[in-house]
Amino acid sequence: MQKALSPNTKFVWHCINFYLILILTGCAAGQLGKNNSGEFKNGMVVSANGIASKVGISILKKGGNAVDAAVAVQFALAVVYPNAGNIGGGGFMVYRAASGETNSLDFREKAPSAATRDMYLDSLGNPIVDKSLHGQIASGVPGSVAGMEAAHKKYGKLSWSALLQPAIDLAKNGFPITKRQASQLNANHPRFMHFNPDGTALIKLTGPWQENDLLVQTQLANTLTFIQQKGKSGFYEGAVADSIVAEMKAGNGIITHEDLKNYRAIWRKPVTGTFKGYDVITMPPPSSGGIALMQLLESVEPYPFKKWGHNADSTFQVMVEAERRAYADRATHLGDADFYNVPQTELLKPTYNKARMASFSFDSASTSASIKAGEIDIPEHLETTHFSIVDRAGNAVAITTTLNASFGSLIVVKGAGFLLNDEMDDFSVKAGAPNMFGLIGGKANEIAANKRMLSSMTPTILAKDGKLFMVVGTPGGSTIITSVFQTILNVIDFDMTMQQAVDAKRFHHQWLPDEVDVEKTALDSVKVKKLEEKGYKIIKSGNIGRVDAILRTPRGKYLGGADSRGDDKVAGY
Ligand code: DON
């Protein structure tokens, strides 16, 4: 039998292992060092784009707090990351002040007032292919600008104008695009031409885009200047609103001046719970993310993951079975709680989630056909982006924001220079019909005028013993919830650093389809065979998620994790 190590020897071993892993993974992948630039004590921003991360740090250095930096980063991403950064989309913010105060802000898009339940179905009642995804009819009423104004009014310190200026400069003067962006813009060129025959800055007129080409967006700079001068009414009223409504009329869109004027961001009580002594603060409906994340954490809490190991077959089985059950609940019970009685208290009960796991056996996979949403008696009343920010005082912001698909509906508002979302596809356009992420839904998430479509976005903050512990989130549609779930487990159960936790290979299951998407190399062939023999259908998948996260060390320093699956960057000072 192996002799037990003394705590001191264990600590030294842990340090040696830690640095060995750092050196080995850094050398092998060449990635850890590239995206993660070490520990910082004054503040940190981790986002999908290095320029946007630096904008956030410049605001912190000027004396802004985490919310000021978040507002500036949101507008900067609308310029430098047009796939998902936006003013024509929406999102969610989870906030935790150093004092322990928590809050969450819903700036999700809304269905226009003329929206109807069957608006994407043909005369036979079947979904019309891509109607909820492309063109003017796919857009919900945007929420981002109202969200940023609400966040700034409540918590901001610096002037609104100062927070808009970096984005305006980047749009006016241009910024060098990355290699990945050049290839994405080139790949989308025919689609941009189709949906924007009059042109957009995203179409290059002479030859294909190349790395470091400047993307100049003059119309967007003007729109941002209106917002700088007039706040949200610079977007929801006046010239920009006129351009949005004209764009609707040019196609088959239904957003009206009234819809724009009536849009409000809403402060909501965050979903909170505990996992192994950590406080989890996350997003309530209209996101499914917070409830589903807490269901997953509660379902797996009793199992000894640390002993079994990361991506071990038992660990995998328990996580997949928890996911099967949580996503079955999502499909039936979750929707905009302002329109549908979401049984939030019941779904968040640890006893409920632990009981749901009782039907699972290690011998064989449950089938999704045999798992239904839990019966709850009395209902009570790809492309997205996430960024995480902390400031010197320890205030933390997690924002996930989206246009839905990459470049949203592909419609650039003529004259105003920004992309509109295709968020209407997140509704269940027909009961049981899968959306672009294969998610199905029913009554809870059917379309209704002015309703918010159900989301999976899961901006999340964790605290321990009254102190900030982690800020985390990701894009990835339905895989958002499971990616956040795995990142949290990677740190708490598997002792990874923030960067390791973000880079570790992921897998995803969502009840239907009854299969598990597994990133290449997440499981070796022996494990795959063993799991297949038990009935799991394993599908090799490309990248899952793009997590950007921050960990606060026990010494009060910030450690970043910027996902090496993208151009994501840590900036700190
Ligand atoms: O709100 C949602 O759940 C989706 N609209 C998110 C889309 C997304 O993450 C696409 N990115 N990869």
Side-chain angles (χ1 to χ4, degrees), residues 38-328:
E39 279 191 357
F40 297 90
K41 71 175 191 340
N42 291 321
M44 184 171 276
V45 180
V46 191
S47 84
N49 182 283
I51 299 170
S53 295
K54 281 189 191 145
V55 163
I57 290 295
S58 74
I59 296 294
L60 293 179
K61 282 186 173 167
K62 281 191 186 127
N65 60 24
V67 173
D68 290 316
V71 172
V73 170
Q74 170 81 27
F75 285 117
L77 283 169
V79 180
V80 299
Y81 190 52
N83 306 56
N86 67 79
I87 51 175
F92 300 117
M93 170 173 122
V94 171
Y95 174 71
R96 182 183 183 277
S99 63
E101 175 199 347
T102 61
N103 212 339
S104 75
L105 180 62
D106 164 5
F107 54 99
R108 180 71 161 166
E109 300 91 326
K110 284 172 70 166
S113 51
T116 56
R117 192 191 63 186
D118 297 337
M119 64 187 277
Y120 298 110
L121 305 184
D122 63 18
S123 57
L124 299 174
N126 297 317
I128 299 167
V129 177
D130 284 354
K131 191 172 177 190
S132 57
L133 276 173
H134 299 322
Q136 290 85 344
I137 191 77
S139 297
V141 183
S144 292
V145 177
M148 291 307 101
E149 189 186 78
H152 178 255
K153 277 204 168 134
K154 194 165 180 74
Y155 293 114
K157 266 168 71 184
L158 297 190
S159 75
W160 174 251
S161 171
L163 305 184
L164 265 295
Q165 198 57 47
I168 294 171
D169 294 341
L170 286 163
K172 199 186 286 171
N173 304 328
F175 69 94
I177 60 173
T178 66
K179 194 169 166 199
R180 190 187 308 267
Q181 287 180 315
S183 78
Q184 288 172 342
L185 288 172
N186 292 333
N188 277 288
H189 186 262
R191 301 197 315 153
F192 284 135
M193 294 290 286
H194 175 75
F195 285 103
N196 306 277
D198 298 330
T200 145
L202 303 175
I203 296 171
K204 202 177 175 201
L205 297 176
T206 51
W209 287 102
Q210 287 179 356
E211 184 179 8
N212 290 326
D213 279 354
L214 276 193
L215 174 56
V216 178
Q217 300 169 86
T218 313
Q219 291 182 357
L220 178 56
N222 290 339
T223 298
L224 290 167
T225 306
F226 279 122
I227 298 169
Q228 183 185 44
Q229 289 166 352
K230 301 195 170 131
K232 88 175 165 69
S233 47
F235 180 87
Y236 293 96
E237 295 171 54
V240 176
D242 290 346
S243 300
I244 297 173
V245 174
E247 186 61 61
M248 290 294 127
K249 290 193 175 137
N252 50 1
I254 54 172
I255 298 175
T256 62
H257 275 111
E258 283 298 294
D259 289 333
L260 292 167
K261 208 170 162 191
N262 290 338
Y263 184 87
R264 300 278 179 278
I266 302 175
W267 291 102
R268 298 191 187 270
K269 191 168 174 288
V271 163
T272 53
T274 58
F275 174 67
K276 297 191 175 173
Y278 293 83
D279 300 318
V280 183
I281 305 126
T282 183
M283 195 65 211
S287 185
S288 63
I291 292 180
L293 174 67
M294 274 321 304
Q295 288 190 273
L296 293 175
L297 292 170
E298 286 170 5
S299 301
V300 305
E301 194 167 21
Y303 297 89
F305 282 177
K306 202 184 272 257
K307 189 171 130 209
W308 291 344
H310 177 250
N311 287 5
D313 46 348
S314 321
T315 311
F316 175 97
Q317 273 192 278
V318 170
M319 288 169 70
V320 168
E321 296 303 341
E323 289 166 7
R324 196 187 306 280
R325 288 153 177 81
Y327 277 82

Side-chain angles (χ1 to χ4, degrees), residues 108 382-384 402 404 423 426 437 455-457 475-477 480:
R108 180 71 161 166
L382 218 47
E383 189 86 28
T384 299
T402 191
N404 194 28
E423 219 72 66
D426 273 350
F437 301 107
S455 171
S456 300
M457 293 189 284
I480 290 175

Side-chain angles (χ1 to χ4, degrees), residues 338-358:
D338 293 345
F339 282 72
Y340 183 84
N341 279 337
V342 173
Q344 179 164 329
T345 308
E346 192 63 37
L347 291 171
L348 289 175
K349 272 189 191 150
T351 45
Y352 169 78
N353 290 304
K354 289 185 173 102
R356 293 274 284 157
M357 291 297 276

